[in-house]
Amino acid sequence: MLFFSYFKDLVGREVTVELKNDLAIRGTLHSVDQYLNIKLENTRVVDQDKYPHMLSVRNCFIRGSVVRYVQLPPEGVDIELLHDATRREARGG
Amino acid sequence: MSWAGPEDIYLSTSLASYLDKKLLVLLRDGRKLLGILRSFDQFANAVLEGACERVIVGDLYCDIPLGLYVIRGENVVLIGELDLEKEELPPHMTRVSPAEIKGAQKAEREASDLKGTMRKRMEFLDLD
């Protein structure tokens, strides 16, 4: 549940989601669910010329199972908080 | 089972806010399907009405009509809402007939096969 909670805190932030098929999409994180499915708003594809069919996609749903990376804004990571949460999770709390 | 109220739909990650809208569904094999979302579940299984496959080869494209499609969720990569105000494709792309696009696909496949065999033959040179 840690990463679910973590992503929930990032809602509203600008993120880049890289998929397993190498497609990278940048957009505002709209929401995330328990499977780490992601909804993005105001999306744009990083390599637009290679993926012309994505031109008119403004909002999208990405299936959690196809995500390779999520690139976050540096200020989106509170290391202290994450450490504490990880220890709590490891203790089974 | 409880249903999210209409005001919650737009906040949640569910596909409910995409119901009855024209969508682009990207599949794991790279296929692009267009259609109207009529139903879905938690696995992202989806029913598309009036589905068609958009085949793109270089600057050519073609929409091949398919009808009513049920897509198994595991094949879904992305479901995108199409902005009806915007052009779906860049202006330099031309629409062609299914026969033409099949020809273009075949030519592209042959070109990439040829590149593959050329590379194999040159392997002894230890490129890279």
Side-chain angles (χ1 to χ4, degrees):
Chain A
M1 285 304 266
L2 200 158
F3 281 89
F4 177 38
S5 317
Y6 181 57
F7 277 116
K8 272 202 291 195
D9 276 350
L10 286 168
V11 162
R13 289 286 200 14
E14 183 98 339
V15 297
T16 305
V17 182
E18 185 182 320
L19 309 184
K20 289 179 186 171
N21 62 5
D22 294 335
L23 175 64
I25 306 163
R26 192 161 175 75
T28 310
L29 190 64
H30 168 274
S31 63
V32 63
D33 67 10
Q34 53 180 337
Y35 306 107
L36 303 188
N37 294 330
I38 288 172
K39 256 189 182 175
L40 293 181
E41 282 183 331
N42 297 316
T43 55
R44 59 186 178 283
V45 172
V46 174
D47 189 357
Q48 186 66 258
D49 299 336
K50 208 174 148 194
Y51 305 98
H53 52 279
M54 295 292 292
L55 190 67
S56 67
V57 175
R58 284 288 85 108
N59 308 308
C60 71
F61 165 95
I62 300 166
R63 201 171 191 264
S65 63
V66 302
V67 174
R68 186 186 287 141
Y69 304 122
V70 181
Q71 297 173 22
L72 314 165
E75 68 276 13
V77 194
D78 183 340
I79 300 288
E80 285 304 310
L81 201 73
L82 204 55
H83 276 175
D84 287 349
T86 309
R87 287 196 199 94
R88 250 200 316 280
E89 193 106 338
R91 279 203 302 270
Chain B
M1 191 170 157
S2 71
W3 296 90
E7 67 282 357
D8 304 332
I9 284 173
Y10 296 96
L11 299 173
S12 82
T13 315
S14 102
L15 290 166
S17 64
Y18 292 166
L19 276 173
D20 301 326
K21 294 212 166 88
K22 191 175 179 195
L23 304 176
L24 168 81
V25 182
L26 228 63
L27 302 183
R28 273 195 313 183
D29 63 358
R31 272 182 240 218
K32 302 159 267 294
L33 302 183
L34 297 159
I36 296 166
L37 184 70
R38 292 302 190 196
S39 183
F40 67 91
D41 65 8
Q42 72 270 40
F43 305 110
N45 292 321
V47 178
L48 282 192
E49 190 181 295
C52 55
E53 182 183 346
R54 176 158 290 170
V55 186
I56 300 179
V57 181
D59 282 349
L60 306 177
Y61 77 96
C62 179
D63 291 339
I64 298 166
L66 303 168
L68 185 69
Y69 254 45
V70 182
I71 305 164
R72 190 172 157 88
E74 61 180 330
N75 299 299
V76 172
V77 168
L78 173 149
I79 299 182
E81 198 182 337
L82 291 175
D83 187 346
L84 298 173
E85 309 283 293
K86 280 199 68 147
E87 287 298 319
E88 280 184 16
L89 290 166
H92 62 83
M93 299 193 65
T94 9
R95 185 184 195 127
V96 295
S97 71
E100 281 173 280
I101 205 80
K102 286 217 172 84
Q105 258 182 322
K106 191 159 170 261
E108 193 188 46
R109 207 165 36 240
E110 277 165 4
S112 86
D113 285 354
L114 185 66
K115 217 169 141 191
T117 58
M118 296 279 266
R119 233 190 131 69
K120 254 209 172 78
R121 273 183 239 165
M122 297 295 176
E123 241 161 35
F124 69 95
L125 286 174
D126 217 5
L127 300 166
D128 300 319

mmCIF file of all heavy atoms in Angstrom, chain A residues 35-80:
data_model
loop_
_atom_site.group_PDB
_atom_site.id
_atom_site.type_symbol
_atom_site.label_atom_id
_atom_site.label_comp_id
_atom_site.label_asym_id
_atom_site.label_seq_id
_atom_site.Cartn_x
_atom_site.Cartn_y
_atom_site.Cartn_z
ATOM 1 N N TYR A 35 -4.089 -0.734 -8.243
ATOM 2 C CA TYR A 35 -3.247 -1.482 -9.182
ATOM 3 C C TYR A 35 -2.112 -0.607 -9.721
ATOM 4 O O TYR A 35 -1.346 -1.030 -10.583
ATOM 5 C CB TYR A 35 -4.059 -1.979 -10.381
ATOM 6 C CG TYR A 35 -5.273 -2.781 -10.029
ATOM 7 C CD1 TYR A 35 -6.547 -2.245 -10.172
ATOM 8 C CD2 TYR A 35 -5.154 -4.094 -9.562
ATOM 9 C CE1 TYR A 35 -7.673 -2.977 -9.850
ATOM 10 C CE2 TYR A 35 -6.274 -4.831 -9.236
ATOM 11 C CZ TYR A 35 -7.534 -4.273 -9.385
ATOM 12 O OH TYR A 35 -8.644 -5.006 -9.064
ATOM 13 N N LEU A 36 -2.055 0.633 -9.237
ATOM 14 C CA LEU A 36 -1.155 1.668 -9.763
ATOM 15 C C LEU A 36 -1.473 2.003 -11.224
ATOM 16 O O LEU A 36 -0.596 2.429 -11.975
ATOM 17 C CB LEU A 36 0.324 1.307 -9.581
ATOM 18 C CG LEU A 36 0.752 1.028 -8.134
ATOM 19 C CD1 LEU A 36 2.265 0.873 -8.047
ATOM 20 C CD2 LEU A 36 0.298 2.115 -7.167
ATOM 21 N N ASN A 37 -2.728 1.769 -11.612
ATOM 22 C CA ASN A 37 -3.225 2.376 -12.852
ATOM 23 C C ASN A 37 -3.133 3.879 -12.658
ATOM 24 O O ASN A 37 -3.306 4.369 -11.545
ATOM 25 C CB ASN A 37 -4.688 2.018 -13.111
ATOM 26 C CG ASN A 37 -4.897 0.547 -13.381
ATOM 27 O OD1 ASN A 37 -4.018 -0.121 -13.914
ATOM 28 N ND2 ASN A 37 -6.053 0.038 -13.010
ATOM 29 N N ILE A 38 -2.878 4.594 -13.723
ATOM 30 C CA ILE A 38 -2.649 6.030 -13.612
ATOM 31 C C ILE A 38 -3.536 6.771 -14.597
ATOM 32 O O ILE A 38 -3.705 6.338 -15.739
ATOM 33 C CB ILE A 38 -1.163 6.342 -13.922
ATOM 34 C CG1 ILE A 38 -0.283 5.849 -12.771
ATOM 35 C CG2 ILE A 38 -0.935 7.828 -14.164
ATOM 36 C CD1 ILE A 38 1.192 5.930 -13.070
ATOM 37 N N LYS A 39 -4.106 7.878 -14.158
ATOM 38 C CA LYS A 39 -4.788 8.771 -15.083
ATOM 39 C C LYS A 39 -4.004 10.067 -15.166
ATOM 40 O O LYS A 39 -3.655 10.642 -14.141
ATOM 41 C CB LYS A 39 -6.207 9.062 -14.588
ATOM 42 C CG LYS A 39 -7.285 8.323 -15.330
ATOM 43 C CD LYS A 39 -8.635 8.846 -14.915
ATOM 44 C CE LYS A 39 -9.749 8.112 -15.592
ATOM 45 N NZ LYS A 39 -11.063 8.556 -15.076
ATOM 46 N N LEU A 40 -3.733 10.492 -16.399
ATOM 47 C CA LEU A 40 -3.005 11.745 -16.609
ATOM 48 C C LEU A 40 -3.894 12.752 -17.330
ATOM 49 O O LEU A 40 -4.734 12.379 -18.139
ATOM 50 C CB LEU A 40 -1.753 11.506 -17.463
ATOM 51 C CG LEU A 40 -0.618 10.672 -16.879
ATOM 52 C CD1 LEU A 40 0.520 10.583 -17.880
ATOM 53 C CD2 LEU A 40 -0.121 11.231 -15.569
ATOM 54 N N GLU A 41 -3.659 14.022 -17.049
ATOM 55 C CA GLU A 41 -4.367 15.105 -17.745
ATOM 56 C C GLU A 41 -3.350 15.993 -18.452
ATOM 57 O O GLU A 41 -2.198 16.064 -18.027
ATOM 58 C CB GLU A 41 -5.159 15.942 -16.741
ATOM 59 C CG GLU A 41 -6.452 15.273 -16.320
ATOM 60 C CD GLU A 41 -7.265 16.131 -15.373
ATOM 61 O OE1 GLU A 41 -6.670 16.930 -14.629
ATOM 62 O OE2 GLU A 41 -8.494 15.975 -15.385
ATOM 63 N N ASN A 42 -3.831 16.705 -19.465
ATOM 64 C CA ASN A 42 -2.957 17.594 -20.255
ATOM 65 C C ASN A 42 -1.694 16.876 -20.709
ATOM 66 O O ASN A 42 -0.585 17.373 -20.527
ATOM 67 C CB ASN A 42 -2.578 18.843 -19.447
ATOM 68 C CG ASN A 42 -3.779 19.661 -19.110
ATOM 69 O OD1 ASN A 42 -4.643 19.880 -19.957
ATOM 70 N ND2 ASN A 42 -3.878 20.083 -17.882
ATOM 71 N N THR A 43 -1.896 15.703 -21.284
ATOM 72 C CA THR A 43 -0.749 14.871 -21.644
ATOM 73 C C THR A 43 -0.100 15.347 -22.931
ATOM 74 O O THR A 43 -0.756 15.914 -23.806
ATOM 75 C CB THR A 43 -1.199 13.420 -21.870
ATOM 76 O OG1 THR A 43 -2.227 13.410 -22.846
ATOM 77 C CG2 THR A 43 -1.704 12.812 -20.593
ATOM 78 N N ARG A 44 1.196 15.099 -23.015
ATOM 79 C CA ARG A 44 1.875 15.226 -24.300
ATOM 80 C C ARG A 44 2.939 14.138 -24.342
ATOM 81 O O ARG A 44 3.563 13.818 -23.330
ATOM 82 C CB ARG A 44 2.458 16.626 -24.485
ATOM 83 C CG ARG A 44 3.449 17.035 -23.445
ATOM 84 C CD ARG A 44 3.862 18.489 -23.634
ATOM 85 N NE ARG A 44 4.784 18.830 -22.562
ATOM 86 C CZ ARG A 44 4.425 19.086 -21.329
ATOM 87 N NH1 ARG A 44 3.139 19.057 -20.996
ATOM 88 N NH2 ARG A 44 5.313 19.357 -20.393
ATOM 89 N N VAL A 45 3.091 13.586 -25.533
ATOM 90 C CA VAL A 45 4.045 12.511 -25.705
ATOM 91 C C VAL A 45 5.426 13.125 -25.895
ATOM 92 O O VAL A 45 5.569 14.131 -26.597
ATOM 93 C CB VAL A 45 3.635 11.651 -26.916
ATOM 94 C CG1 VAL A 45 4.700 10.642 -27.260
ATOM 95 C CG2 VAL A 45 2.332 10.948 -26.614
ATOM 96 N N VAL A 46 6.428 12.544 -25.242
ATOM 97 C CA VAL A 46 7.767 13.135 -25.270
ATOM 98 C C VAL A 46 8.331 13.140 -26.693
ATOM 99 O O VAL A 46 8.875 14.128 -27.148
ATOM 100 C CB VAL A 46 8.701 12.407 -24.278
ATOM 101 C CG1 VAL A 46 10.126 12.910 -24.418
ATOM 102 C CG2 VAL A 46 8.200 12.613 -22.852
ATOM 103 N N ASP A 47 8.154 12.024 -27.420
ATOM 104 C CA ASP A 47 8.622 11.958 -28.805
ATOM 105 C C ASP A 47 7.418 11.989 -29.750
ATOM 106 O O ASP A 47 6.995 10.960 -30.271
ATOM 107 C CB ASP A 47 9.454 10.682 -29.002
ATOM 108 C CG ASP A 47 10.158 10.674 -30.355
ATOM 109 O OD1 ASP A 47 9.952 11.625 -31.127
ATOM 110 O OD2 ASP A 47 10.896 9.711 -30.619
ATOM 111 N N GLN A 48 6.853 13.193 -29.924
ATOM 112 C CA GLN A 48 5.591 13.354 -30.655
ATOM 113 C C GLN A 48 5.657 12.829 -32.093
ATOM 114 O O GLN A 48 4.713 12.223 -32.586
ATOM 115 C CB GLN A 48 5.199 14.838 -30.654
ATOM 116 C CG GLN A 48 3.854 15.142 -31.253
ATOM 117 C CD GLN A 48 2.699 14.554 -30.447
ATOM 118 O OE1 GLN A 48 2.132 13.534 -30.805
ATOM 119 N NE2 GLN A 48 2.380 15.185 -29.343
ATOM 120 N N ASP A 49 6.794 13.072 -32.784
ATOM 121 C CA ASP A 49 6.903 12.693 -34.192
ATOM 122 C C ASP A 49 6.808 11.193 -34.396
ATOM 123 O O ASP A 49 6.339 10.723 -35.426
ATOM 124 C CB ASP A 49 8.228 13.203 -34.772
ATOM 125 C CG ASP A 49 8.310 14.722 -34.684
ATOM 126 O OD1 ASP A 49 7.232 15.344 -34.633
ATOM 127 O OD2 ASP A 49 9.428 15.251 -34.648
ATOM 128 N N LYS A 50 7.264 10.446 -33.393
ATOM 129 C CA LYS A 50 7.276 8.990 -33.520
ATOM 130 C C LYS A 50 5.889 8.396 -33.252
ATOM 131 O O LYS A 50 5.619 7.268 -33.645
ATOM 132 C CB LYS A 50 8.293 8.431 -32.525
ATOM 133 C CG LYS A 50 8.918 7.124 -32.952
ATOM 134 C CD LYS A 50 10.022 6.712 -31.996
ATOM 135 C CE LYS A 50 10.112 5.199 -31.909
ATOM 136 N NZ LYS A 50 10.929 4.781 -30.757
ATOM 137 N N TYR A 51 5.043 9.151 -32.554
ATOM 138 C CA TYR A 51 3.725 8.636 -32.186
ATOM 139 C C TYR A 51 2.631 9.608 -32.607
ATOM 140 O O TYR A 51 1.979 10.217 -31.759
ATOM 141 C CB TYR A 51 3.663 8.383 -30.674
ATOM 142 C CG TYR A 51 4.751 7.484 -30.151
ATOM 143 C CD1 TYR A 51 5.905 8.002 -29.569
ATOM 144 C CD2 TYR A 51 4.629 6.101 -30.242
ATOM 145 C CE1 TYR A 51 6.906 7.172 -29.089
ATOM 146 C CE2 TYR A 51 5.621 5.271 -29.772
ATOM 147 C CZ TYR A 51 6.765 5.812 -29.196
ATOM 148 O OH TYR A 51 7.747 4.984 -28.728
ATOM 149 N N PRO A 52 2.422 9.779 -33.936
ATOM 150 C CA PRO A 52 1.462 10.779 -34.417
ATOM 151 C C PRO A 52 0.025 10.533 -33.951
ATOM 152 O O PRO A 52 -0.755 11.467 -33.812
ATOM 153 C CB PRO A 52 1.565 10.654 -35.942
ATOM 154 C CG PRO A 52 2.132 9.303 -36.195
ATOM 155 C CD PRO A 52 3.027 9.015 -35.028
ATOM 156 N N HIS A 53 -0.297 9.258 -33.691
ATOM 157 C CA HIS A 53 -1.666 8.929 -33.294
ATOM 158 C C HIS A 53 -2.023 9.463 -31.915
ATOM 159 O O HIS A 53 -3.178 9.506 -31.541
ATOM 160 C CB HIS A 53 -1.866 7.419 -33.328
ATOM 161 C CG HIS A 53 -0.824 6.683 -32.545
ATOM 162 N ND1 HIS A 53 0.422 6.409 -33.065
ATOM 163 C CD2 HIS A 53 -0.827 6.196 -31.292
ATOM 164 C CE1 HIS A 53 1.135 5.763 -32.144
ATOM 165 N NE2 HIS A 53 0.405 5.636 -31.064
ATOM 166 N N MET A 54 -1.013 9.901 -31.141
ATOM 167 C CA MET A 54 -1.269 10.398 -29.789
ATOM 168 C C MET A 54 -1.543 11.898 -29.763
ATOM 169 O O MET A 54 -1.766 12.480 -28.708
ATOM 170 C CB MET A 54 -0.068 10.091 -28.882
ATOM 171 C CG MET A 54 0.180 8.627 -28.646
ATOM 172 S SD MET A 54 -1.121 7.883 -27.672
ATOM 173 C CE MET A 54 -0.837 8.691 -26.111
ATOM 174 N N LEU A 55 -1.537 12.515 -30.945
ATOM 175 C CA LEU A 55 -1.631 13.975 -31.060
ATOM 176 C C LEU A 55 -2.834 14.566 -30.335
ATOM 177 O O LEU A 55 -2.721 15.555 -29.628
ATOM 178 C CB LEU A 55 -1.667 14.361 -32.545
ATOM 179 C CG LEU A 55 -1.526 15.837 -32.864
ATOM 180 C CD1 LEU A 55 -0.136 16.322 -32.501
ATOM 181 C CD2 LEU A 55 -1.815 16.104 -34.320
ATOM 182 N N SER A 56 -4.003 13.952 -30.531
ATOM 183 C CA SER A 56 -5.214 14.566 -29.973
ATOM 184 C C SER A 56 -5.618 13.957 -28.637
ATOM 185 O O SER A 56 -6.718 14.204 -28.157
ATOM 186 C CB SER A 56 -6.357 14.445 -30.974
ATOM 187 O OG SER A 56 -6.712 13.104 -31.137
ATOM 188 N N VAL A 57 -4.739 13.166 -28.035
ATOM 189 C CA VAL A 57 -5.054 12.608 -26.716
ATOM 190 C C VAL A 57 -4.656 13.618 -25.638
ATOM 191 O O VAL A 57 -3.489 13.982 -25.534
ATOM 192 C CB VAL A 57 -4.333 11.259 -26.495
ATOM 193 C CG1 VAL A 57 -4.565 10.750 -25.090
ATOM 194 C CG2 VAL A 57 -4.804 10.244 -27.518
ATOM 195 N N ARG A 58 -5.624 14.102 -24.892
ATOM 196 C CA ARG A 58 -5.357 15.105 -23.853
ATOM 197 C C ARG A 58 -5.385 14.479 -22.454
ATOM 198 O O ARG A 58 -4.637 14.859 -21.571
ATOM 199 C CB ARG A 58 -6.394 16.234 -23.915
ATOM 200 C CG ARG A 58 -6.172 17.220 -25.050
ATOM 201 C CD ARG A 58 -4.960 18.104 -24.780
ATOM 202 N NE ARG A 58 -3.736 17.438 -25.213
ATOM 203 C CZ ARG A 58 -3.028 17.764 -26.259
ATOM 204 N NH1 ARG A 58 -3.383 18.783 -26.976
ATOM 205 N NH2 ARG A 58 -1.953 17.094 -26.586
ATOM 206 N N ASN A 59 -6.289 13.494 -22.273
ATOM 207 C CA ASN A 59 -6.402 12.811 -20.995
ATOM 208 C C ASN A 59 -6.269 11.326 -21.273
ATOM 209 O O ASN A 59 -6.785 10.841 -22.269
ATOM 210 C CB ASN A 59 -7.771 13.049 -20.358
ATOM 211 C CG ASN A 59 -8.104 14.512 -20.297
ATOM 212 O OD1 ASN A 59 -7.309 15.290 -19.801
ATOM 213 N ND2 ASN A 59 -9.256 14.873 -20.813
ATOM 214 N N CYS A 60 -5.578 10.605 -20.404
ATOM 215 C CA CYS A 60 -5.511 9.178 -20.650
ATOM 216 C C CYS A 60 -5.410 8.348 -19.385
ATOM 217 O O CYS A 60 -5.053 8.844 -18.310
ATOM 218 C CB CYS A 60 -4.378 8.838 -21.613
ATOM 219 S SG CYS A 60 -2.766 9.028 -20.888
ATOM 220 N N PHE A 61 -5.801 7.094 -19.549
ATOM 221 C CA PHE A 61 -5.734 6.092 -18.494
ATOM 222 C C PHE A 61 -4.620 5.133 -18.893
ATOM 223 O O PHE A 61 -4.601 4.641 -20.018
ATOM 224 C CB PHE A 61 -7.086 5.364 -18.440
ATOM 225 C CG PHE A 61 -7.090 4.088 -17.663
ATOM 226 C CD1 PHE A 61 -7.468 4.068 -16.328
ATOM 227 C CD2 PHE A 61 -6.736 2.887 -18.269
ATOM 228 C CE1 PHE A 61 -7.474 2.883 -15.617
ATOM 229 C CE2 PHE A 61 -6.743 1.689 -17.563
ATOM 230 C CZ PHE A 61 -7.114 1.693 -16.228
ATOM 231 N N ILE A 62 -3.674 4.894 -17.990
ATOM 232 C CA ILE A 62 -2.577 3.974 -18.285
ATOM 233 C C ILE A 62 -2.687 2.782 -17.357
ATOM 234 O O ILE A 62 -2.806 2.941 -16.134
ATOM 235 C CB ILE A 62 -1.212 4.678 -18.096
ATOM 236 C CG1 ILE A 62 -1.108 5.870 -19.025
ATOM 237 C CG2 ILE A 62 -0.072 3.705 -18.340
ATOM 238 C CD1 ILE A 62 0.033 6.800 -18.683
ATOM 239 N N ARG A 63 -2.666 1.573 -17.920
ATOM 240 C CA ARG A 63 -2.778 0.373 -17.091
ATOM 241 C C ARG A 63 -1.489 0.201 -16.291
ATOM 242 O O ARG A 63 -0.394 0.255 -16.857
ATOM 243 C CB ARG A 63 -3.015 -0.841 -17.991
ATOM 244 C CG ARG A 63 -3.631 -2.013 -17.265
ATOM 245 C CD ARG A 63 -4.035 -3.084 -18.249
ATOM 246 N NE ARG A 63 -4.861 -4.101 -17.641
ATOM 247 C CZ ARG A 63 -4.386 -5.255 -17.167
ATOM 248 N NH1 ARG A 63 -3.106 -5.522 -17.227
ATOM 249 N NH2 ARG A 63 -5.216 -6.132 -16.635
ATOM 250 N N GLY A 64 -1.616 -0.025 -14.994
ATOM 251 C CA GLY A 64 -0.449 -0.113 -14.110
ATOM 252 C C GLY A 64 0.580 -1.124 -14.559
ATOM 253 O O GLY A 64 1.783 -0.914 -14.417
ATOM 254 N N SER A 65 0.115 -2.232 -15.158
ATOM 255 C CA SER A 65 1.004 -3.338 -15.505
ATOM 256 C C SER A 65 1.965 -3.005 -16.650
ATOM 257 O O SER A 65 2.916 -3.739 -16.871
ATOM 258 C CB SER A 65 0.173 -4.559 -15.887
ATOM 259 O OG SER A 65 -0.592 -4.286 -17.030
ATOM 260 N N VAL A 66 1.721 -1.914 -17.377
ATOM 261 C CA VAL A 66 2.588 -1.594 -18.518
ATOM 262 C C VAL A 66 3.565 -0.462 -18.219
ATOM 263 O O VAL A 66 4.316 -0.032 -19.080
ATOM 264 C CB VAL A 66 1.780 -1.224 -19.788
ATOM 265 C CG1 VAL A 66 0.862 -2.344 -20.179
ATOM 266 C CG2 VAL A 66 1.008 0.059 -19.587
ATOM 267 N N VAL A 67 3.555 0.021 -16.972
ATOM 268 C CA VAL A 67 4.422 1.142 -16.608
ATOM 269 C C VAL A 67 5.819 0.635 -16.287
ATOM 270 O O VAL A 67 5.983 -0.346 -15.573
ATOM 271 C CB VAL A 67 3.849 1.904 -15.395
ATOM 272 C CG1 VAL A 67 4.819 2.979 -14.909
ATOM 273 C CG2 VAL A 67 2.521 2.534 -15.745
ATOM 274 N N ARG A 68 6.839 1.291 -16.848
ATOM 275 C CA ARG A 68 8.216 0.947 -16.503
ATOM 276 C C ARG A 68 8.743 1.909 -15.433
ATOM 277 O O ARG A 68 9.208 1.486 -14.396
ATOM 278 C CB ARG A 68 9.100 0.982 -17.751
ATOM 279 C CG ARG A 68 10.516 0.484 -17.466
ATOM 280 C CD ARG A 68 11.428 0.653 -18.662
ATOM 281 N NE ARG A 68 11.163 -0.300 -19.734
ATOM 282 C CZ ARG A 68 11.218 0.012 -21.022
ATOM 283 N NH1 ARG A 68 11.470 1.259 -21.391
ATOM 284 N NH2 ARG A 68 11.011 -0.902 -21.939
ATOM 285 N N TYR A 69 8.691 3.208 -15.716
ATOM 286 C CA TYR A 69 9.124 4.205 -14.737
ATOM 287 C C TYR A 69 8.080 5.294 -14.590
ATOM 288 O O TYR A 69 7.349 5.586 -15.529
ATOM 289 C CB TYR A 69 10.382 4.944 -15.207
ATOM 290 C CG TYR A 69 11.564 4.112 -15.555
ATOM 291 C CD1 TYR A 69 12.124 4.176 -16.832
ATOM 292 C CD2 TYR A 69 12.158 3.286 -14.611
ATOM 293 C CE1 TYR A 69 13.246 3.436 -17.161
ATOM 294 C CE2 TYR A 69 13.276 2.536 -14.940
ATOM 295 C CZ TYR A 69 13.813 2.614 -16.205
ATOM 296 O OH TYR A 69 14.919 1.892 -16.532
ATOM 297 N N VAL A 70 8.078 5.940 -13.428
ATOM 298 C CA VAL A 70 7.403 7.221 -13.277
ATOM 299 C C VAL A 70 8.472 8.205 -12.838
ATOM 300 O O VAL A 70 9.121 8.002 -11.815
ATOM 301 C CB VAL A 70 6.274 7.177 -12.234
ATOM 302 C CG1 VAL A 70 5.594 8.530 -12.128
ATOM 303 C CG2 VAL A 70 5.247 6.105 -12.594
ATOM 304 N N GLN A 71 8.705 9.230 -13.650
ATOM 305 C CA GLN A 71 9.680 10.256 -13.287
ATOM 306 C C GLN A 71 8.960 11.368 -12.541
ATOM 307 O O GLN A 71 7.966 11.901 -13.024
ATOM 308 C CB GLN A 71 10.351 10.816 -14.536
ATOM 309 C CG GLN A 71 11.141 9.749 -15.288
ATOM 310 C CD GLN A 71 11.664 10.279 -16.616
ATOM 311 O OE1 GLN A 71 11.798 11.475 -16.812
ATOM 312 N NE2 GLN A 71 11.949 9.368 -17.530
ATOM 313 N N LEU A 72 9.475 11.700 -11.360
ATOM 314 C CA LEU A 72 8.797 12.642 -10.480
ATOM 315 C C LEU A 72 9.563 13.951 -10.421
ATOM 316 O O LEU A 72 10.751 13.983 -10.706
ATOM 317 C CB LEU A 72 8.754 12.057 -9.069
ATOM 318 C CG LEU A 72 8.336 10.601 -8.956
ATOM 319 C CD1 LEU A 72 8.696 10.092 -7.579
ATOM 320 C CD2 LEU A 72 6.866 10.470 -9.214
ATOM 321 N N PRO A 73 8.873 15.015 -10.028
ATOM 322 C CA PRO A 73 9.603 16.254 -9.771
ATOM 323 C C PRO A 73 10.471 16.044 -8.535
ATOM 324 O O PRO A 73 10.033 15.361 -7.609
ATOM 325 C CB PRO A 73 8.505 17.277 -9.495
ATOM 326 C CG PRO A 73 7.322 16.469 -9.086
ATOM 327 C CD PRO A 73 7.437 15.152 -9.757
ATOM 328 N N PRO A 74 11.684 16.604 -8.504
ATOM 329 C CA PRO A 74 12.591 16.371 -7.375
ATOM 330 C C PRO A 74 11.960 16.756 -6.040
ATOM 331 O O PRO A 74 12.171 16.089 -5.031
ATOM 332 C CB PRO A 74 13.787 17.283 -7.671
ATOM 333 C CG PRO A 74 13.667 17.670 -9.091
ATOM 334 C CD PRO A 74 12.253 17.519 -9.497
ATOM 335 N N GLU A 75 11.155 17.811 -6.042
ATOM 336 C CA GLU A 75 10.557 18.254 -4.779
ATOM 337 C C GLU A 75 9.381 17.350 -4.364
ATOM 338 O O GLU A 75 8.796 17.542 -3.311
ATOM 339 C CB GLU A 75 10.119 19.724 -4.870
ATOM 340 C CG GLU A 75 8.954 20.013 -5.806
ATOM 341 C CD GLU A 75 9.377 20.197 -7.257
ATOM 342 O OE1 GLU A 75 10.538 19.861 -7.603
ATOM 343 O OE2 GLU A 75 8.537 20.646 -8.059
ATOM 344 N N GLY A 76 9.064 16.381 -5.215
ATOM 345 C CA GLY A 76 7.979 15.456 -4.894
ATOM 346 C C GLY A 76 8.414 14.334 -3.970
ATOM 347 O O GLY A 76 7.615 13.492 -3.582
ATOM 348 N N VAL A 77 9.709 14.289 -3.626
ATOM 349 C CA VAL A 77 10.217 13.204 -2.806
ATOM 350 C C VAL A 77 10.675 13.747 -1.456
ATOM 351 O O VAL A 77 11.621 14.526 -1.383
ATOM 352 C CB VAL A 77 11.412 12.505 -3.504
ATOM 353 C CG1 VAL A 77 11.719 11.187 -2.840
ATOM 354 C CG2 VAL A 77 11.119 12.304 -4.980
ATOM 355 N N ASP A 78 9.982 13.330 -0.414
ATOM 356 C CA ASP A 78 10.425 13.653 0.936
ATOM 357 C C ASP A 78 11.076 12.397 1.506
ATOM 358 O O ASP A 78 10.408 11.478 1.956
ATOM 359 C CB ASP A 78 9.232 14.092 1.793
ATOM 360 C CG ASP A 78 9.667 14.511 3.191
ATOM 361 O OD1 ASP A 78 10.772 14.107 3.611
ATOM 362 O OD2 ASP A 78 8.902 15.239 3.846
ATOM 363 N N ILE A 79 12.413 12.355 1.424
ATOM 364 C CA ILE A 79 13.149 11.145 1.777
ATOM 365 C C ILE A 79 12.860 10.698 3.217
ATOM 366 O O ILE A 79 12.605 9.519 3.472
ATOM 367 C CB ILE A 79 14.680 11.373 1.585
ATOM 368 C CG1 ILE A 79 14.977 11.716 0.128
ATOM 369 C CG2 ILE A 79 15.466 10.160 2.019
ATOM 370 C CD1 ILE A 79 14.861 10.594 -0.851
ATOM 371 N N GLU A 80 12.865 11.668 4.140
ATOM 372 C CA GLU A 80 12.606 11.343 5.557
ATOM 373 C C GLU A 80 11.275 10.626 5.724
ATOM 374 O O GLU A 80 11.190 9.566 6.339
ATOM 375 C CB GLU A 80 12.607 12.637 6.394
ATOM 376 C CG GLU A 80 13.990 13.203 6.633
ATOM 377 C CD GLU A 80 14.912 12.182 7.298
ATOM 378 O OE1 GLU A 80 14.492 11.595 8.309
ATOM 379 O OE2 GLU A 80 16.029 11.979 6.788
#
